């Protein structure tokens, strides 16, 4: 029966065949027992294929269906049943589609946003490191001058100390010689 349903419902050009297959399968699974809207629709499709015209096809299909107990009320209520089956399928499809959207698109968008924020944090870290490098390089550059200045001071202090030391030693040595000579 599903192939017949695909023919009558999916005969419109441009319909997605996978969707037609899915929806007609849902109708088939929820087919009520006995002669109802689906069987009426199949009969109507066959009559329309004979080019009898819409009015004649509907009346002929209904007259034939009424011989097996189909009433207009049952035809309308079963058509509403199948319509609701399709509405339920659409709701389930929308939910599945939303889940896929969340899983495949929104999670990727969140990942991209997280990476953008991480890149900004890294850029800030790089800027901080570059400032620290520049400060350290400045310290290194000025340290050579400071080291040379401190070395000059130390050398001068050393020279002054050694000169003073030697001078005092010389005075003591001179005094020792003079004491030996004069005393």
């Amino acid at each position: 029966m599903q192939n017949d349903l695909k023919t009558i419902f999916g005969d419109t050009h441009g319909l997605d065949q996978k969707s037609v297959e899915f929806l007609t399968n849902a109708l088939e699974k929820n087919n009520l027992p006995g002669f109802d809207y689906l069987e009426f629709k199949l009969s109507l499709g066959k009559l329309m294929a004979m080019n009898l015209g819409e009015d004649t096809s509907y009346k002929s299909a209904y007259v034939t269906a009424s011989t097996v107990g189909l009433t207009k009320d049952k035809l309308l209520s079963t058509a509403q049943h199948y319509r609701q089956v399709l509405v339920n399928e659409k709701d389930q499809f929308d939910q599945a589609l939303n889940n896929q959207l969340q899983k495949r698109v929104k999670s990727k968008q969140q990942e991209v946003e997280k990476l953008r924020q991480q890149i900004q944090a890294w850029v800030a870290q790089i800027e901080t490191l570059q400032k620290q490098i520049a400060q350290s390089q400045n310290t290194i550059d000025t340290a050579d001058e400071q080291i040379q200045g401190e070395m000059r001071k130390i050398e001068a202090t050393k020279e002054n100390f050694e000169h003073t030391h030697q001078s005092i030693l010389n005075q003591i040595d001179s005094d020792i010689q003079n004491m030996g000579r004069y005393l």
Side-chain angles (χ1 to χ4, degrees):
M1 178 182 228
Q2 186 183 2
N3 286 335
D4 293 334
L5 291 176
K6 284 193 283 187
T7 301
I8 60 171
F9 285 115
D11 206 18
T12 305
H13 295 292
L15 293 183
D16 175 54
Q17 289 306 305
K18 186 176 179 181
S19 297
V20 169
E21 173 103 14
F22 181 79
L23 293 172
T24 55
N25 188 39
L27 291 174
E28 176 74 26
K29 285 181 185 176
N30 290 281
N31 189 4
L32 298 172
F35 198 95
D36 62 5
Y37 169 75
L38 287 184
E39 288 75 17
F40 173 82
K41 182 72 172 169
L42 291 171
S43 297
L44 181 63
K46 290 177 183 174
L47 291 171
M48 295 284 279
M50 294 171 37
N51 294 322
L52 295 177
E54 189 174 67
D55 184 41
T56 304
S57 295
Y58 268 88
K59 288 178 181 177
S60 296
Y62 180 71
V63 167
T64 304
S66 66
T67 62
V68 290
L70 185 67
T71 64
K72 183 177 177 181
D73 286 341
K74 183 177 180 185
L75 181 60
L76 291 172
S77 68
T78 58
Q80 283 299 327
H81 164 77
Y82 294 115
R83 186 180 188 291
Q84 190 59 48
V85 165
L86 295 178
V87 167
N88 292 344
E89 290 299 318
K90 171 76 165 77
D91 290 344
Q92 290 175 13
F93 175 81
D94 287 345
Q95 184 177 359
L97 188 66
N98 190 35
N99 289 342
Q100 288 300 312
L101 181 66
Q102 182 67 33
K103 180 179 176 183
R104 294 182 180 180
V105 176
K106 290 183 181 178
S107 65
K108 287 291 182 192
Q109 288 172 332
Q110 289 170 347
E111 179 183 358
V112 166
E113 183 56 32
K114 183 178 177 184
L115 288 173
R116 282 189 180 132
Q117 290 173 358
Q118 182 62 56
I119 288 170
Q120 288 177 343
W122 287 335
V123 166
Q125 286 179 332
I126 288 170
E127 289 173 0
T128 300
L129 289 173
Q130 286 174 334
K131 287 178 185 175
Q132 289 174 347
I133 289 170
Q135 289 172 348
S136 296
Q137 188 62 49
N138 187 38
T139 300
I140 289 170
D141 293 344
T142 58
D144 287 340
E145 292 175 18
Q146 290 174 348
I147 290 169
Q148 292 301 320
E150 293 301 319
M151 287 295 288
R152 283 191 293 272
K153 286 181 188 177
I154 291 170
E155 283 296 321
T157 301
K158 177 185 172 190
E159 286 176 18
N160 289 340
F161 178 81
E162 286 179 356
H163 176 64
T164 303
H165 178 264
Q166 191 60 48
S167 175
I168 294 174
L169 281 179
N170 288 344
Q171 286 179 30
I172 293 175
D173 286 345
S174 176
D175 285 341
I176 290 174
Q177 284 178 359
N178 285 338
M179 282 189 272
R181 195 178 331 154
Y182 300 121
L183 300 178

